[in-house]
Amino acid sequence: GAGVSQSPSNKVTEKGKDVELRCDPISGHTALYWYRQSLGQGLEFLIYFQGNSAPDKSGLPSDRFSAERTGGSVSTLTIQRTQQEDSAVYLCASSLALAGGREQYFGPGTRLTVT
Amino acid sequence: AQSVAQPEDQVNVAEGNPLTVKCTYSVSGNPYLFWYVQYPNRGLQFLLKYITGDNLVKGSYGFEAEFNKSQTSFHLKKPSALVSDSALYFCAVRDTGNSGYALNFGKGTSLLVTP
């Protein structure tokens, strides 16, 4: 079946602009996660959603970052007033549920470059 | 707090030889442990996981890993390496002793298998 999809695959933006990154999880997966992968910081957790519960935002690095998940499916990660340190690959993952040791399935990522 | 260490930035092995990629972890409760592989410009692919039970777990592409509670390790192994195994490997842990569901990843180990 279809895996996790993300768009765009690449995004170049100017410092100070807002960007939106989209994630479409695997059908039927109730949990959705956002991570950021950068050379200096490795893989960092940003936020996760489970069904209609309040998201865990504990990994968001600043209030410029926000995310929403509409209808329990597609998610959008928004970065306002982008900074050069936001340049990274943003990875989305989904899993069947949060409980237990469910593995997460990752999308191909969105490479964000802030100039 | 949970953490993962992958002590080797790079592992080099000749094709046909056994390979080991090391991972140690620190958690407050019991660990859920995962290995992922990342090929260039691709997302992370799930290889295997340890949740409970048998300490030796088998996964995709002939990989296996052994959970060692006393040494807090979860090393990835393969009896006979292939050139196509060359990729970036990530160990990850979720600590069942806290309420979060995000995975904490190691920095990654680059595996190079030479013909």
Side-chain angles (χ1 to χ4, degrees):
Chain A
V4 177
S5 61
Q6 293 186 246
S7 61
S9 55
N10 281 284
K11 177 72 176 178
V12 180
T13 190
E14 292 180 354
K15 177 181 173 181
K17 301 283 190 183
D18 298 352
V19 295
E20 286 189 351
L21 313 179
R22 176 187 167 106
C23 172
D24 207 333
I26 293 172
S27 177
H29 281 193
T30 57
L32 185 148
Y33 314 76
W34 283 98
Y35 294 85
R36 178 168 71 173
Q37 184 176 21
S38 57
L39 281 175
Q41 300 298 322
L43 271 156
E44 304 172 90
F45 161 73
L46 297 176
I47 186 172
Y48 71 71
F49 299 85
Q50 165 61 21
N52 295 320
S53 301
D56 178 348
K57 305 178 182 180
S58 60
L60 294 178
S62 79
D63 58 9
R64 297 186 294 105
F65 288 72
S66 63
E68 63 178 19
R69 189 178 184 191
T70 54
S73 182
V74 172
S75 176
T76 301
L77 176 69
T78 301
I79 309 173
Q80 296 178 310
R81 305 180 303 281
T82 52
Q83 304 294 312
Q84 287 186 330
E85 60 263 28
D86 299 334
S87 296
V89 176
Y90 289 82
L91 294 169
C92 176
S94 68
S95 68
L96 276 172
L98 284 179
R102 300 287 189 182
E103 60 270 25
Q104 298 173 21
Y105 293 90
F106 284 78
T110 293
R111 181 176 297 278
L112 175 66
T113 303
V114 182
T115 61
Chain B
Q2 60 186 12
S3 65
V4 177
Q6 293 181 243
E8 302 152 317
D9 290 336
Q10 181 159 324
V11 170
N12 298 317
V13 64
E15 187 174 33
N17 283 358
L19 70 86
T20 298
V21 183
K22 296 180 180 177
C23 171
T24 58
Y25 65 89
S26 174
V27 295
S28 59
N30 291 316
Y32 289 162
L33 292 156
F34 303 82
W35 275 102
Y36 285 84
V37 61
Q38 186 176 36
Y39 296 99
N41 300 314
R42 304 281 295 276
L44 277 70
Q45 294 181 30
F46 169 73
L47 278 179
L48 51 78
K49 66 181 180 182
Y50 171 82
I51 304 302
T52 187
D54 195 349
N55 289 343
L56 183 65
V57 293
K58 295 185 183 295
S60 307
Y61 312 119
F63 283 94
E64 58 189 29
E66 185 166 13
F67 171 63
N68 188 317
K69 187 172 183 178
S70 63
Q71 297 186 4
T72 61
S73 68
F74 189 57
H75 300 332
L76 181 70
K77 300 183 180 184
K78 187 173 182 180
S80 179
L82 299 173
V83 172
S84 57
D85 292 330
S86 299
L88 190 56
Y89 290 80
F90 290 94
C91 181
V93 67
R94 181 168 91 73
D95 186 353
T96 61
N98 66 41
S99 60
Y101 289 91
L103 291 178
N104 192 316
F105 286 87
K107 294 294 186 183
T109 298
S110 178
L111 173 67
L112 179 62
V113 182
T114 53

